[in-house]
């Protein structure tokens, strides 16, 4: 039996494109069972954001979700939509409830040549989105002085370490992480790699950070040896730990095709760098969230594409790239198919991705953002709807051929 996919609707241009993709590229081809959650900013406001929590709980229940980009409100948005308050980022809420890790990968297209000419396959960046400097604390001091760190356990036991004696003004920072969070991260990374048949790299700087980074390295090694080593061996996959500077140098010389697990800050920087080096467009990236229990959600890496939406509202045609939204759907369908043993869904997901690639690589029909980065001339810089129509034609052709076994 095929279970539903949790469909999480969003805002602005991403929402418009979302519905075009669903109506034109998915519903005509597969019987789609969804559990629908509308995270439109007004509905989050009306429900005091309960809808976001319900959507995340639904993913826990059925295992697979697909999410459209949503507005994370700031003061401006509160005014624009007359909101009660600046609701949290839905992505942060969902990630927290699922305890998930985000995997970002470029969608590799032959006519869009990466900045690094050796790269043939995607480098998937897994970012540990917990702790470190993102929940760190800083002090700026303006005098001669000294500092120490004190840890006090609930039982009152204390650990005290001197940070340093300072001859004058300066800054200092403290931050932390939790074993449990690092373990979840490692587990999600190894699971994702198994699902996608990829090697895993983890990189840090334990030669310098002898307690902090060393603990990350240790936890990764423990989780790997305890839970994944055997199956990795069986599948011929590898886990490698590298010093982070070594990893950067190796990555540049590699042909890609691995998961790079990175600490929070490293992953923040690395994912933008990898995105820019492959195509420079967030619309040419996949973004998948996987929890340690293997709950799964895919989404587009970009936002709601606000500027295009305002043009759309004025009746103008935009050239918004739907590729990341299409891949969000194809990956969710594939995952559903794998979990429920539906080769039809898996096959369709694969064919849908192929239809997108054929449209760009062979037909050279592209949206304006791809036109800027592709090799050679496009045959058409299309509006969003024209682009989707070209994909639909390719999809029909590929899919019905396949169905008839041709
Ligand atoms: P954005 O929606 O990613 O768009 C930034 C710019 O990138 C666009 O103006 C456009 O450039 C280009 N772009 C992004 N996606 C594109 C696509 N599919 N096709 C073509 N071009 C694309 O980021 P933003 O404008 O900074 O944020 C808008 C809203 O999205 C915010 O309210 C933010 O909270 C939200 N957001 C949500 C998520 C999420 O839900 N995952 C993530 C990020 C941001 P040009 O205008 O130059 O064509
Ligand atoms: Mg970043």
């Amino acid at each position: 039996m095929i279970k539903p996919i949790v469909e999480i609707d969003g805002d602005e241009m991403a929402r418009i494109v979302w519905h075009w993709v669903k109506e034109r590229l998915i519903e005509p081809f597969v019987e789609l069972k969804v559990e629908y959650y509308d995270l439109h900013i007004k509905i989050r406001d009306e429900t005091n954001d309960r809808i976001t929590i319900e959507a995340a709980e639904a993913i826990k229940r059925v295992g697979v979700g697909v999410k459209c980009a949503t507005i994370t409100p700031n003061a401006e948005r509160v005014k624009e939509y007359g909101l009660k308050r600046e609701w949290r980022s839905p992505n942060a809420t969902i990630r927290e409830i699922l305890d998930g890790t985000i995997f970002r990968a470029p969608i590799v297209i032959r006519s869009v040549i990466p900045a690094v000419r050796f790269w043939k396959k995607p480098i998937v960046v897994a970012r540990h989105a917990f702790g470190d400097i993102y929940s760190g604390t800083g002090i700026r001091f303006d005098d001669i002085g000294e500092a120490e760190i004190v840890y006090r356990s609930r039982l009152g036991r204390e650990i005290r370490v001197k940070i340093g004696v300072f001859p004058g003004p300066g800054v200092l920072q403290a931050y932390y992480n939790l074993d449990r969070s690092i373990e979840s991260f490692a587990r999600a990374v190894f699971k994702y790699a198994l699902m996608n048949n990829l090697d895993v790299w983890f990189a840090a700087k334990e030669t310098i950070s002898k307690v902090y980074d060393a603990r990350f390295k240790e936890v990764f090694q423990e989780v790997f040896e305890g839970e994944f080593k055997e199956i990795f061996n069986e599948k011929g996959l590898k886990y490698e730990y590298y010093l982070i500077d070594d990893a950067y140098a190796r990555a540049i010389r590699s042909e890609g095709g691995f998961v790079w697990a990175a600490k929070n800050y490293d992953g923040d920087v690395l994912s933008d760098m990898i995105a820019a080096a492959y195509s420079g467009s967030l619309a040419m990236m996949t973004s998948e969230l996987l929890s340690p229990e293997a709950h799964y959600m895919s989404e587009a890496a970009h936002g709601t594409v606000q500027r295009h939406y305002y043009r759309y509202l004025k009746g103008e045609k935009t050239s918004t790239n739907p590729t990341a939204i299409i891949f969000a759907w194809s990956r969710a369908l594939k995952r559903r198919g794998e979990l429920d043993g539906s080769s039809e869904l898996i096959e369709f997901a694969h064919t849908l991705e192929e239809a997108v690639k054929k449209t760009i690589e062979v037909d050279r029909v592209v949206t304006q953002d791809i036109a800027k980065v592709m090799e050679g001339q496009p045959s058409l810089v299309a509006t969003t709807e024209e682009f989707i129509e070209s994909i639909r034609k390719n999809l029909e052709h590929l899919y019905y051929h396949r169905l008839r076994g041709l």
Side-chain angles (χ1 to χ4, degrees), residues 11-12 14 17 67-74 77 89-91 104 281-284 287 299-308 311 319-325 367-370 372:
D11 292 299
E12 301 192 316
V17 175
K67 180 181 172 291
C68 180
T70 45
I71 291 170
T72 298
N74 52 16
R77 298 297 208 158
S89 146
N91 288 55
R104 287 206 162 176
S281 172
L282 279 182
M284 299 304 289
S287 178
E299 54 163 356
H302 58 75
T304 61
V305 213
Q306 185 182 7
R307 292 206 314 164
H308 294 208
R311 295 217 296 273
S319 184
T320 314
N321 185 349
T323 303
I325 290 175
T367 46
Q368 43 86 26
D369 59 320
I370 305 175
K372 281 186 220 152

Side-chain angles (χ1 to χ4, degrees), residues 47 74 127 131 139 188 229 233 248 280 289 311 373 398 402:
T47 62
N74 52 16
R127 172 180 171 192
I139 297 178
K229 194 172 178 176
N233 280 342
Y248 268 77
L289 182 137
R311 295 217 296 273
V373 292
L398 290 167
R402 237 165 235 173

Side-chain angles (χ1 to χ4, degrees), residues 29-283:
F29 298 91
V30 284
E31 208 177 309
L32 194 60
K33 254 200 329 198
V34 298
E35 222 180 275
Y36 180 80
Y37 291 83
D38 192 350
L39 264 59
H40 187 282
I41 183 66
K42 292 292 276 178
I43 297 183
R44 279 182 276 148
D45 198 53
E46 276 160 27
T47 62
N48 293 328
D49 211 19
R50 221 188 36 247
I51 188 80
T52 306
I53 295 167
E54 285 170 6
E57 296 295 345
I59 294 178
K60 276 188 158 173
R61 198 159 19 79
V62 306
V64 181
V66 58
K67 180 181 172 291
C68 180
T70 45
I71 291 170
T72 298
N74 52 16
E76 226 167 84
R77 298 297 208 158
V78 167
K79 223 157 92 214
E80 181 181 359
Y81 286 92
L83 307 176
K84 293 181 208 155
R85 47 169 288 202
E86 288 180 25
W87 301 106
R88 288 187 75 191
S89 146
N91 288 55
T93 303
I94 294 169
R95 192 171 61 220
E96 207 171 274
I97 292 174
L98 297 180
D99 188 17
T101 297
I102 305 263
F103 297 83
R104 287 206 162 176
I107 296 165
V108 176
I109 300 279
R110 253 179 297 150
S111 42
V112 179
I113 296 177
V116 178
R117 65 192 154 90
F118 305 120
W119 290 353
K120 302 269 181 306
K121 299 180 237 165
I123 294 175
V124 184
V125 178
R127 172 180 171 192
H128 181 217
F130 178 85
D132 297 3
I133 55 170
Y134 300 86
S135 47
T137 316
I139 297 178
R140 178 172 169 185
F141 49 87
D142 56 7
D143 200 357
I144 296 172
E146 58 181 44
E148 55 183 21
I149 282 185
V150 184
Y151 163 81
R152 197 171 299 113
S153 87
R154 195 122 43 108
L155 302 170
R157 203 167 34 84
E158 268 188 14
I159 305 174
R160 228 169 237 277
V161 181
K162 190 167 227 156
I163 297 176
V165 179
F166 313 121
V171 283
L172 68 86
Q173 173 168 265
Y175 56 79
Y176 67 93
N177 222 297
L178 298 174
D179 283 6
R180 204 178 54 190
S181 175
I182 306 169
E183 272 165 32
S184 291
F185 175 50
R187 211 163 273 136
V189 166
F190 290 126
K191 283 213 166 128
Y192 182 95
L194 277 179
M195 276 162 52
N196 294 283
N197 260 313
L198 295 168
D199 291 342
V200 172
W201 294 16
F202 174 61
K205 192 79 180 178
E206 102 287 357
T207 46
I208 301 297
S209 174
K210 289 183 195 307
V211 176
Y212 201 92
D213 282 20
R215 185 63 191 139
F216 272 81
K217 180 184 175 188
E218 227 168 63
V219 170
F220 259 78
Q221 199 62 38
E222 282 164 15
V223 170
F224 179 67
E225 288 190 358
E227 302 167 34
F228 294 95
K229 194 172 178 176
E230 240 165 83
I231 177 134
F232 264 58
N233 280 342
E234 273 167 35
K235 291 194 149 201
L237 297 175
K238 282 194 304 249
Y239 163 59
E240 303 275 6
Y241 172 82
Y242 297 116
L243 281 173
I244 187 133
D245 36 0
D246 185 26
Y248 268 77
R250 282 172 188 272
I252 296 290
R253 292 191 313 260
S254 79
E255 60 166 29
F258 55 91
V259 183
W260 184 338
K263 288 173 55 201
N264 209 348
Y265 175 81
D266 300 330
D268 185 349
V269 179
L270 185 62
S271 53
D272 286 15
M273 196 270 276
I274 296 279
Y278 270 98
S279 79
S281 172
L282 279 182

